[in-house]
Amino acid sequence: MYVCTQERPKDTTLVCIPTYEMLQEIEDCLDLSLDCCFVSPIPQVVEILKGRGFQHVMGLVVNEEFLDHRQHFHKVIVFENDFFDTLPMMRFIQNSTSAPIIVVTMTPGYPVRLYQSIGARYVVYTKSRNVSCFFK
């Protein structure tokens, strides 16, 4: 497991990227000035983000119950392109922080109440690849 070890300000955002395909979708919106900690269950995504210079990147381990972090997150953004990729991540997130969870999905079809039942406070359906507004 990768651990974010540096103390961060209270306005840190936890950004969850469940698949390599989703990273490709949002990659153009990511820059080093973002005050974010990234998490992904895909080792390739973790390595790409580290290779781009992001300091705060964690990998999810399947058998773990929570994320080992030392930050206070003010919000969590889960980018999604498949509901079933999101389910395991939501368990980790809920066990790790009480910050509000925002699911940003590019796949309509699942009702908001379904996402709320697994812990999301907000659900945003979008067709745009420009998701930079969520990092503010």
Side-chain angles (χ1 to χ4, degrees):
M1 173 185 286
Y2 298 96
V3 178
C4 291
T5 56
Q6 183 180 7
E7 289 294 322
R8 305 283 289 162
K10 293 255 182 211
D11 61 349
T12 300
T13 300
L14 178 63
V15 179
C16 304
I17 305 174
T19 65
Y20 176 73
E21 292 77 22
M22 182 51 63
L23 176 61
Q24 290 179 313
E25 291 284 333
I26 67 170
E27 199 166 19
D28 291 340
C29 298
L30 303 178
D31 65 61
L32 293 174
S33 68
L34 296 174
D35 189 18
C36 296
C37 183
F38 296 92
V39 65
S40 180
I42 309 299
Q44 181 183 18
V45 171
V46 171
E47 292 306 315
I48 289 170
L49 290 170
K50 285 183 171 190
R52 288 194 57 200
F54 290 100
Q55 298 285 321
H56 308 285
V57 183
M58 295 184 284
L60 290 177
V61 177
V62 177
N63 296 329
E64 296 291 329
E65 292 294 319
F66 61 93
L67 297 172
D68 185 11
H69 65 85
R70 291 167 178 81
Q71 288 87 11
H72 175 271
F73 299 116
H74 82 288
K75 69 180 173 183
V76 179
I77 304 169
V78 178
F79 289 103
E80 172 198 91
N81 58 3
D82 187 306
F83 180 78
F84 296 102
D85 290 332
T86 301
L87 283 171
M89 291 190 78
M90 294 298 281
R91 179 177 50 101
F92 286 105
I93 295 164
Q94 286 183 309
N95 289 343
S96 304
T97 183
S98 60
I101 301 170
I102 304 165
V103 175
V104 179
T105 181
M106 297 178 184
T107 309
Y110 294 105
V112 171
R113 288 178 85 54
L114 181 60
Y115 288 102
Q116 290 172 335
S117 73
I118 62 169
R121 184 173 298 172
Y122 306 104
V123 180
V124 178
Y125 297 95
T126 183
K127 291 183 180 179
S128 174
R129 291 177 189 220
N130 184 1
V131 293
S132 59
C133 62
F134 293 104
F135 298 111
K136 296 180 185 206

